Amino acid sequence: MCIACTHTIHRAQHNFGWNKDFTPAVVAKPGETIHFECMDSSGGQLGSDATLETLNALDFGKINPVSGPVYIEGAKPGDALKVTLRKFIPSGVGWTANIPGFGLLADQFKDPALHVWSYDANSMVPALYGPGGRVPLKPFAGTIGVAPAEPGTHSVVPPRRVGGNMDIRDLTAGVTLYLPVEVDGALFSIGDTHAAQGDGEVCGTAIESQMNVEATIELVKDAKLQTPRFTTTEPVTRHLDGAGYEVTTGIGPDLMTGARESVMRMIDLLGAEHGMSAVDAYLLCSVCGDLRISEIVDQPNWVVSFYFPRIVFA
């Protein structure tokens, strides 16, 4: 328990959507620090004993729960919340899955696949993946945001201008995130915690892992912020950079096609160099590889690159 926290949002205090009319779990003053008990994106359906049968039985009505909401006194439309992520308290258990119909290469990977992770929640040493693979860990919140102004309940799955399921792997401890407020009180929620993820989360899941999060929420009046922004205070890839990268590319007039081709070529490379099955390589790319737009000015063709950290097999 956080001894400096003013409030605790318990795991049972969650929702499966965004709605400006949800009853707040807590009313907080600007500047207070809150301890959030967050669930994983399966809502606790996939634990350490999960199997393909468990995955196939997944209730999609219970995915991506967010803990909250928190009503911030004095927050009005046009303001911004300043959210400082203080600490992540991992559980030591996680999962990564290929869910049919979901992911960048859903048309190629049509069968379900599941990898259950066990990691040291105290030391956070790299987590084992197959023979020889060790994935560096860096906890963050995949879903973090406030309620939109539009009436009704809105799905947590797509990201929005007020945040939500952004899956930005750099929203880690020490980062300050600014969120535009559209409703009185803002109604802040957080969830979908991850132990590691690559930029792009290409198979649709990261190392999905239940965690607790400590965050200080302040108020910036009349910020007129259009979309979220955030500030990091240290390098964001030190945990991956140590042995360099293998990089594949996709080149052509369409960025989505380029992204797909760069990932497909990395899957082929991992199979050739490390004897991995295609689906195992796909899951691994999702948790530690990064999609980057390398060039977008030399029309008619753009370059998308996929960076895979060599430290995983070092």
Side-chain angles (χ1 to χ4, degrees):
M1 181 64 67
C2 169
I3 60 174
C5 293
T6 310
H7 307 281
T8 295
I9 305 293
H10 296 285
R11 201 155 281 118
Q13 297 171 295
H14 64 264
N15 294 291
F16 297 99
W18 307 100
N19 191 319
K20 66 177 183 177
D21 295 321
F22 279 161
T23 301
V26 157
V27 175
K29 299 180 184 299
E32 291 185 330
T33 298
I34 302 171
H35 180 93
F36 293 88
E37 295 181 350
C38 296
M39 302 176 74
D40 73 287
S41 63
S42 77
Q45 297 179 77
L46 298 176
S48 59
D49 59 349
T51 64
L52 277 180
E53 288 70 26
T54 317
L55 180 64
N56 288 330
L58 198 63
D59 182 349
F60 286 91
K62 297 179 179 178
I63 64 167
N64 272 29
V66 286
S67 296
V70 177
Y71 185 101
I72 303 299
E73 292 182 354
K76 298 290 184 182
D79 297 341
L81 293 192
K82 178 184 177 183
V83 182
T84 302
L85 297 165
R86 300 291 183 189
K87 186 177 182 180
F88 287 82
I89 306 163
S91 63
V93 176
W95 59 272
T96 305
N98 183 59
I99 299 172
F102 190 51
L104 182 65
L105 303 179
D107 59 325
Q108 297 184 37
F109 293 92
K110 299 180 180 180
D111 296 324
L114 176 68
H115 180 80
V116 176
W117 302 81
S118 176
Y119 61 91
D120 190 319
N122 295 313
S123 67
M124 295 298 285
V125 297
L128 297 178
Y129 186 86
R134 294 172 59 84
V135 174
L137 304 177
K138 193 173 183 181
F140 75 99
T143 302
I144 181 169
V146 297
E150 292 84 0
T153 300
H154 304 271
S155 170
V156 174
V157 175
R160 304 176 184 279
R161 63 179 179 269
V162 288
N165 189 22
M166 298 184 289
D167 286 317
I168 299 174
R169 69 107 179 268
D170 296 327
L171 296 180
T172 56
V175 166
T176 300
L177 170 68
Y178 297 84
L179 294 166
V181 174
E182 291 192 352
V183 303
D184 288 353
L187 296 181
F188 173 88
S189 297
I190 184 172
D192 184 28
T193 44
H194 299 160
Q197 182 201 287
D199 280 336
E201 196 186 22
V202 295
C203 85
T205 58
I207 299 183
E208 312 290 329
S209 183
Q210 177 180 295
M211 297 186 190
N212 295 343
V213 184
E214 296 170 7
T216 301
I217 305 178
E218 300 172 86
L219 187 60
V220 181
K221 297 299 291 182
D222 200 32
K224 293 184 171 60
L225 190 64
Q226 298 301 308
T227 56
R229 71 174 181 86
F230 62 96
T231 301
T232 74
T233 58
E234 60 183 27
V236 296
T237 54
R238 269 194 311 220
H239 63 305
L240 298 173
D241 286 341
Y245 293 84
E246 297 290 348
V247 184
T248 50
T249 62
I251 300 174
D254 183 83
L255 285 175
M256 182 59 74
T257 299
R260 285 169 51 85
E261 290 179 350
S262 66
V263 174
M264 287 187 289
R265 287 163 186 154
M266 183 56 70
I267 290 170
D268 290 343
L269 183 63
L270 292 175
E273 293 195 345
H274 299 284
M276 302 186 73
S277 71
V279 69
D280 284 343
Y282 185 37
L283 299 186
L284 186 58
C285 284
S286 193
V287 302
C288 62
D290 296 337
L291 272 172
R292 301 184 188 179
I293 298 175
S294 296
E295 182 272 305
I296 200 169
V297 296
D298 295 328
Q299 61 183 342
N301 293 331
W302 330 125
V303 180
V304 180
S305 301
F306 190 81
Y307 282 65
F308 186 87
R310 291 165 53 88
I311 199 169
V312 171
F313 292 108

